[in-house]
Amino acid sequence: MTLVSANRKVRFYLIFMLAPYLILSTIVTAQDKQVLFIAGDPSHGFGNHEHYGGSELLARTINEADIGVHAEVVSGWPENENAFDHIDAVVIYVTGGERHPILNHLESFQQVMDRGVGLVTLHYGVEVPKGEPGDKFLEWQGGYFETDWSVNPHWTINITDFPNHSITRGVEPFEINDEWYYHMRFADGNVIPILSDLPPKESLSRKDGPHSNNKFVRDAVLKRGESQHVAWAYERSNGGKAFGFTGGHYHWNWANDSVRRLVANAIVWAAGAEVPEEGIAFEPITVLELSKLTDDPVPEGWDHQSIQDEIDASQ
């Protein structure tokens, strides 16, 4: 374990033990579904790509719901592949692309997927290189970010309705800005769109590049006006369930109850557990509270209230 990882674990342990809004952990039983979060290293500075803090919040959200699902978070890819032996779902929230930690474990993780274990990838974790890794992601979760096909602009999504699915239980309409990847590469069949919207033309204003723009996405969005799926569910032929979520760049968006509930529901669903009819229940969290779940210290003069106002307006 690196010093950064050790410090993270100590700091987050103290936060979750002492924070006034914490509900005491429930007792883990042998019958509980087990979820393993793999959280990546810091990468984008304060409040962005907070892989560990976001994973800790989602794990705590699931554990405190007390619905027979227990989640744990590890920093970085487990050194011991036996860590996956009794896991029902894996959540990967990491730096992706050429630096995706799964790239050195495709063969061993195939064995995990072959057992029907659920898979959830968040934000940059949905991107792997084309070729074998991309083909694996199509097989395992039905879609991924493919360079020179998918794009990663920041834009405001407006979700007004949802499919009738366990993942969307208790989720209300919302409108929120994030780095919503879209024009994902999807498998043929079994892909269930969960969040969809037509991106604004401004989201395709950048020059062509591996992540920024291309003729294929322009044709789909600007010419044909095709709604883009930024979150999806997938069921593999062996019964394994998967969920891809392209948001998650901004740490503060976890303060939007619908965003947090949607992803928590999806993780529970992917683990093979029943999502409550009203969705996962939890206490709301504020932007200021979320700042305690960051890798970097809070910058001097940081205006949390303006961000909180934006979050409040988004839901």
Side-chain angles (χ1 to χ4, degrees), residues 60-77:
R60 190 192 78 195
T61 299
I62 291 168
N63 290 340
E64 292 177 358
D66 194 18
I67 57 171
V69 182
H70 177 73
E72 294 186 357
V73 182
V74 296
S75 182
W77 199 268

Side-chain angles (χ1 to χ4, degrees), residues 58 91-94 120-126 243 245 247 254 263:
L58 290 167
V91 183
I92 303 177
Y93 195 9
V94 299
V120 175
T121 59
L122 306 178
H123 198 50
Y124 206 173
V126 306
F243 177 72
F245 178 78
W254 298 122
V263 176

Side-chain angles (χ1 to χ4, degrees), residues 137-158:
F137 266 46
L138 288 177
E139 173 191 342
W140 296 341
Q141 69 167 17
Y144 77 107
F145 185 108
E146 180 183 294
T147 53
D148 296 307
W149 175 265
S150 309
V151 292
N152 65 351
H154 290 254
W155 56 291
T156 299
I157 196 170
N158 184 15

Side-chain angles (χ1 to χ4, degrees), residues 114-295:
D114 287 345
R115 298 203 320 265
V117 173
L119 175 64
V120 175
T121 59
L122 306 178
H123 198 50
Y124 206 173
V126 306
E127 182 187 336
V128 290
K130 289 182 282 189
E132 182 184 8
D135 292 342
K136 292 293 188 185
F137 266 46
L138 288 177
E139 173 191 342
W140 296 341
Q141 69 167 17
Y144 77 107
F145 185 108
E146 180 183 294
T147 53
D148 296 307
W149 175 265
S150 309
V151 292
N152 65 351
H154 290 254
W155 56 291
T156 299
I157 196 170
N158 184 15
I159 302 298
T160 57
D161 53 53
F162 308 91
N164 182 17
H165 195 282
S166 299
I167 291 173
T168 63
R169 291 176 180 174
V171 180
E172 300 292 335
F174 62 91
E175 184 175 4
I176 200 165
N177 185 271
D178 206 329
E179 187 182 26
W180 296 105
Y181 306 163
Y182 67 84
H183 201 242
M184 310 299 286
R185 176 67 74 184
F186 288 116
D188 295 328
N190 296 334
V191 175
I192 306 168
I194 298 296
L195 296 182
S196 305
D197 193 16
L198 179 64
K201 64 179 182 180
E202 292 79 12
S203 67
L204 291 173
S205 61
R206 296 179 294 173
K207 295 180 179 180
D208 283 9
H211 296 80
S212 56
N213 211 336
N214 60 73
K215 63 179 182 179
F216 307 107
V217 69
R218 285 194 297 273
D219 286 347
V221 173
L222 302 182
K223 288 186 179 180
R224 299 193 296 271
E226 295 174 354
S227 184
Q228 299 296 306
H229 312 313
V230 301
W232 68 94
Y234 184 71
E235 298 191 42
R236 304 195 298 275
S237 58
N238 66 358
K241 299 177 179 179
F243 177 72
F245 178 78
T246 74
H249 177 95
Y250 293 126
H251 185 52
W252 321 121
N253 286 350
W254 298 122
N256 179 296
D257 289 351
S258 285
V259 172
R260 181 178 168 194
R261 179 166 290 115
L262 179 101
V263 176
N265 285 352
I267 295 168
V268 168
W269 172 80
E274 180 67 19
V275 179
E277 285 299 322
E278 300 301 320
I280 302 298
F282 52 78
E283 291 296 320
I285 193 168
T286 67
V287 168
L288 188 59
E289 289 168 336
L290 278 169
S291 70
K292 296 178 173 62
L293 300 173
T294 59
D295 288 305

